[in-house]
Amino acid sequence: MSLCEVDGRTVRQPHTAETDVVIVGSGPAGAVVARHLSERGIPVIVVEEGHPAPPQSFSESGLQAMASLYRDMGTSIAFGNLSMPYLQGRVVGGTSVINGAICWKFPREVWEEWVSNDRTLADALPFESISKAEAQIEKRLNIHSTTENVAGRKNLLLGQGAETLGVQHRPIARNVSGCVGEGRCLQGCPHGHKLSMDRSYLPDAVERGGRIWSGMRVDRVVIDHGRARGVVGRTAAGAPFQIRARRAVVLAASAIQTPVLLRRSGVTQGPVGDNLCAHPGVSVTGLFKESVVAWRGATQGHEVIGYRSEGIKLEALGFDLSILASRVPGVGSAFAKRLANLDKYAVWGAALRAKAKGRVRPGVSRPWVTYSLTPGDIEKARRAVRILADLFLAAGALEVYPSIAGFHPTIRTPSEAASIESEASLNPSAYSMSMTHLFGTAKMGSDPQTSVVRPTFETHQTKSLFVADSSVFPDNLGVNPQVPIMALADLCAASLVNVEGR
Ligand SMILES: Cc1cc2nc3c(=O)[nH]c(=O)nc-3n(C[C@H](O)[C@H](O)[C@H](O)COP(=O)(O)OP(=O)(O)OC[C@H]3O[C@@H](n4cnc5c(N)ncnc54)[C@H](O)[C@@H]3O)c2cc1C
Ligand code: SF4
C-alpha cells in the first residue's frame, strides 16, 4: 500500500478537502500526532512538503542525498557572529529519514529546570507521562544499544579512547532493526533498517485511517474569528490547495518552519520566532596507523557522556567519502597523499548545549534565521575540540586536525592538545560549526507575553491551533532530541483530544 494518498507533483488543478485535524509536517512530531489521533478514530490529513523516498531510492553520495532529501540542499544558514548551516530533512518522514538514529530519553534535570521556571509546566508535562510515552516509543522503534558486531572501528576506537582517559562512555541506543552497519543513516538507510517515521509511525497512522499528502507546501493557516479553520498552500506542480479542519490544525513543521507559518498566518502574539535554541556542533578528524574505514559500521554507534554536566556530548560520526575527504587538511601533493589513506581517518563530533538565543522570521524565499554564539559558547566549543583531540590521542591516533583557523593544523601530543584550550582563538569565525537540533521558537508557558503556546500546546492567540514540535521547548535539551520530541508530541495529541472534546 502506498503511504501517501496524494502526491502533489501530479496535482495541477486546485484541490480541496475536509477532515477533523490537519497536521503540517510528517517528521517525528507530526507522525506521532497522526498515529495518536488515528488510533482514536479521529480523521487526520498530514500535509508534507517533501516527497516519499523509499530505501531503494537512497544514494550513497552525500551530495545527492542532500539534493533530494535535505531542505535547501543542506545550505540553510543561520547568520550571526559565525555563519552556521542548520540541517533539516524535507521528505516524507521529515528529518528522521536522514538522522543518525541516536535515541535519548528526556533528561530529568532539564525537565526540572523547565518546571522551576514555570510551575504550570509541571502539571502540563508530568515527568511520569513523558516517561510513559517514551517507553511506548522505545518499544515501537526497537530502540537498543549498538552491538559490537555492527559498530565498526570508528565507534570502537572512541570507546577505547574514553576508557583510556577514564571518561564515561557507552554504545549508542538507536532506532534500528536488523542494522548491518552500512554507515549510511545520514543519506537514508538503503535497507530500510532505520525505523524512521516513514517506516514506523506514518504507516501505523495510515493503517488506522490517517491520510498523508506529500509534495504540498502549506503557506498559512486559515484563521476565522480567532479560530484555526484549516490550511492553504501550493502543490509541487503549482496548483493551490485548501484543507478545511473541523476540529484543529497542528503545526509540526520544525522549530524553523513552524514560527514562519505562525507569523505568515498573523499569529504574532508573544515571542513567535524568538528564543531559537540549539546544539551547535564541532568536529575533529584523526589519523590512525591502521585502517578504520570510517564510512562503514553504525553511522553513529558510540558516545562519550562524561562531560554532559559541562553541556558537551561527544559522538562518533559517519560520513560518505566525499564529506570525509573534506575533513582532511592540506593542498596539492600533501593532500593527495592524505586522500590515498582515507581509510585511516575517523571524524568525531561534539554537540554543545549552547546558551545562545537566535531568531526566526519569514524571509523572501526562505526563513531569515539569526543566531550568535555567546563568548561562553565559544569557550565550550574550544574545550570540546580539546577533549576530542585528547580522545583521539588516547585511542592511538597519530595525528589530529583540530580545524580551528589560526591554530596549528596538526597536533600529535597531549600537551599540544592541551594548548588548544589555552591558545586557540576565541573568535567565533575561527570555528566551522553546524546545527542539527533546534528548539524554542514557539515556547510553551502560562504567560501570553513571554510564551506562544499554552501548557495545553494550543496557541495563546488562536483557538484550535496547536504546536507539536520542538518549537514549544522552552530551552535546549543537551541530548539528541527525536525521542523527547515524539514524547511531547504524544502529550500534545492527548491534550488536543481533551481540549477539542470540550
Ligand atoms: C543530519 C541530522 C542528524 C540528526 N541525528 C539525530 C539523531 O541521531 N538523534 C536525534 O535524536 N536527533 C537527530 N537529529 C535531529 C532530529 O532528527 C530532529 O530534531 C527531529 O527530526 C525534529 O522533528 P520535527 O518533527 O520537529 O521536524 P522535522 O523532522 O524536521 O520534520 C518537519 C517536516 O515538516 C515539513 N514541513 C516544513 N514546513 C512545511 C510546510 N510549510 N508545509 C508542509 N510541510 C512542511 C518538512 O519538510 C519536514 O519533513 C538530526 C538532525 C539532522 C539534520
Ligand atoms: S548504519 Fe547502515 S544499515 Fe544501519 S541503519 Fe544506518 S544506514 Fe542502515
Side-chain angles (χ1 to χ4, degrees):
M1 184 172 63
S2 161
L3 200 54
C4 299
E5 183 189 61
V6 175
D7 183 335
R9 290 173 292 195
T10 61
V11 180
R12 295 185 178 81
Q13 298 299 323
H15 205 76
T16 56
E18 189 168 309
T19 185
D20 271 20
V21 179
V22 176
I23 302 165
V24 183
S26 67
V32 166
V33 175
R35 179 183 144 152
H36 186 114
L37 299 182
S38 303
E39 225 160 32
R40 280 149 190 82
I42 298 172
V44 303
I45 296 180
V46 178
V47 195
E48 167 58 53
E49 182 181 355
H51 305 299
Q56 58 276 18
S57 70
F58 294 141
S59 162
E60 194 162 4
S61 148
L63 276 181
Q64 275 177 22
M66 285 199 170
S68 56
L69 306 174
Y70 284 60
R71 184 169 290 278
D72 300 328
M73 207 189 158
T75 66
S76 309
I77 299 278
F79 296 96
N81 53 7
L82 149 73
S83 291
M84 221 190 296
Y86 63 89
L87 299 171
Q88 297 193 289
R90 197 190 64 122
V91 54
V92 172
T95 307
S96 73
V97 176
I98 47 103
N99 77 15
I102 302 173
C103 292
W104 263 78
K105 291 197 174 140
F106 205 111
R108 175 135 206 152
E109 70 279 6
V110 175
W111 180 83
E112 276 161 7
E113 263 173 52
W114 288 15
V115 301
S116 69
N117 290 332
D118 186 344
R119 293 306 307 173
T120 53
L121 295 187
D123 298 329
L125 309 172
F127 197 73
E128 297 62 40
S129 303
I130 297 175
S131 302
K132 204 169 144 205
E134 284 176 337
Q136 284 167 3
I137 294 161
E138 188 172 22
K139 201 163 158 215
R140 177 62 187 95
L141 296 188
N142 194 39
I143 297 171
H144 62 280
S145 277
T146 304
T147 49
E148 251 187 51
N149 61 323
V150 297
R153 275 204 87 211
K154 65 171 181 269
N155 288 308
L156 299 177
L157 283 166
L158 178 59
Q160 276 174 35
E163 198 61 30
T164 307
L165 294 180
V167 187
Q168 201 184 354
H169 66 100
R170 64 182 191 188
I172 286 175
R174 297 180 305 144
N175 54 317
V176 298
S177 173
C179 169
V180 290
E182 184 91 11
R184 284 170 57 177
C185 291
L186 306 188
Q187 296 107 281
C189 178
H191 310 294
H193 291 321
K194 182 168 63 173
L195 294 181
S196 43
M197 295 306 110
D198 53 318
R199 305 194 64 76
S200 54
Y201 277 73
L202 292 174
D204 291 353
V206 170
E207 257 175 41
R208 290 157 176 80
R211 298 153 75 190
I212 302 173
W213 289 16
S214 62
M216 320 273 272
R217 183 167 54 81
V218 171
D219 289 330
R220 65 182 173 83
V221 179
V222 178
I223 297 168
D224 182 25
H225 290 87
R227 191 178 179 105
R229 306 282 176 185
V231 297
V232 291
R234 213 153 261 283
T235 71
F241 72 88
Q242 171 160 25
I243 310 176
R244 282 187 292 277
R246 288 182 290 262
R247 287 179 73 167
V249 173
V250 179
L251 299 183
S254 85
I256 302 292
Q257 315 301 326
T258 286
V260 169
L261 280 171
L262 287 170
R263 284 197 162 264
R264 285 226 172 95
S265 313
V267 182
T268 53
Q269 184 187 316
V272 180
D274 298 346
N275 190 50
L276 172 67
C277 314
H279 298 151
V282 287
S283 65
V284 168
T285 306
L287 168 68
F288 289 89
K289 191 163 170 232
E290 312 290 342
S291 184
V292 179
V293 195
W295 55 94
R296 288 282 177 266
T299 308
Q300 299 199 262
H302 209 89
E303 61 192 356
V304 175
I305 55 177
Y307 299 96
R308 274 198 54 231
S309 59
E310 295 184 41
I312 298 175
K313 182 174 177 285
L314 306 114
E315 297 155 0
L317 299 173
F319 299 123
D320 82 312
L321 279 168
S322 61
I323 295 178
L324 179 62
S326 73
R327 302 297 174 108
V328 172
V331 289
S333 59
F335 183 56
K337 220 162 123 191
R338 286 202 162 110
L339 284 190
N341 282 317
L342 213 49
D343 64 317
K344 295 187 176 129
Y345 293 92
V347 186
W348 298 338
L352 312 176
R353 191 169 185 216
K355 298 263 188 243
K357 306 279 184 231
R359 223 170 81 141
V360 179
R361 291 289 184 272
V364 180
S365 60
R366 51 166 85 175
W368 178 248
V369 180
T370 49
Y371 183 86
S372 281
L373 294 168
T374 67
D377 295 335
I378 306 287
E379 276 186 40
K380 203 175 277 185
R382 188 173 73 168
R383 173 147 174 75
V385 173
R386 184 255 167 107
I387 295 169
L388 287 164
D390 282 341
L391 286 163
F392 268 117
L393 294 173
L398 303 174
E399 291 184 352
V400 182
Y401 314 124
S403 263
I404 302 174
F407 190 73
H408 313 290
T410 307
I411 56 175
R412 296 184 179 83
T413 65
S415 66
E416 286 172 358
S419 71
I420 294 173
E421 232 180 320
S422 51
E423 291 172 24
S425 172
L426 285 175
N427 182 339
S429 56
Y431 296 78
S432 33
M433 301 173 71
S434 61
M435 302 192 283
T436 54
H437 305 159
L438 305 155
F439 316 87
T441 47
K443 83 184 217 199
M444 177 184 281
S446 50
D447 179 353
Q449 300 307 315
T450 58
S451 61
V452 178
V453 302
R454 300 162 194 265
T456 54
F457 295 82
E458 192 178 29
T459 58
H460 284 291
Q461 184 180 330
T462 306
K463 279 205 170 59
S464 309
L465 178 58
F466 291 76
V467 177
D469 59 41
S470 54
S471 311
V472 305
F473 287 32
D475 202 352
N476 53 13
L477 283 183
V479 300
N480 314 71
Q482 71 172 335
V483 172
I485 289 172
M486 294 173 74
L488 259 61
D490 201 52
L491 300 194
C492 170
S495 166
L496 185 156
V497 175
N498 281 337
V499 172
E500 285 299 308
R502 67 197 150 191

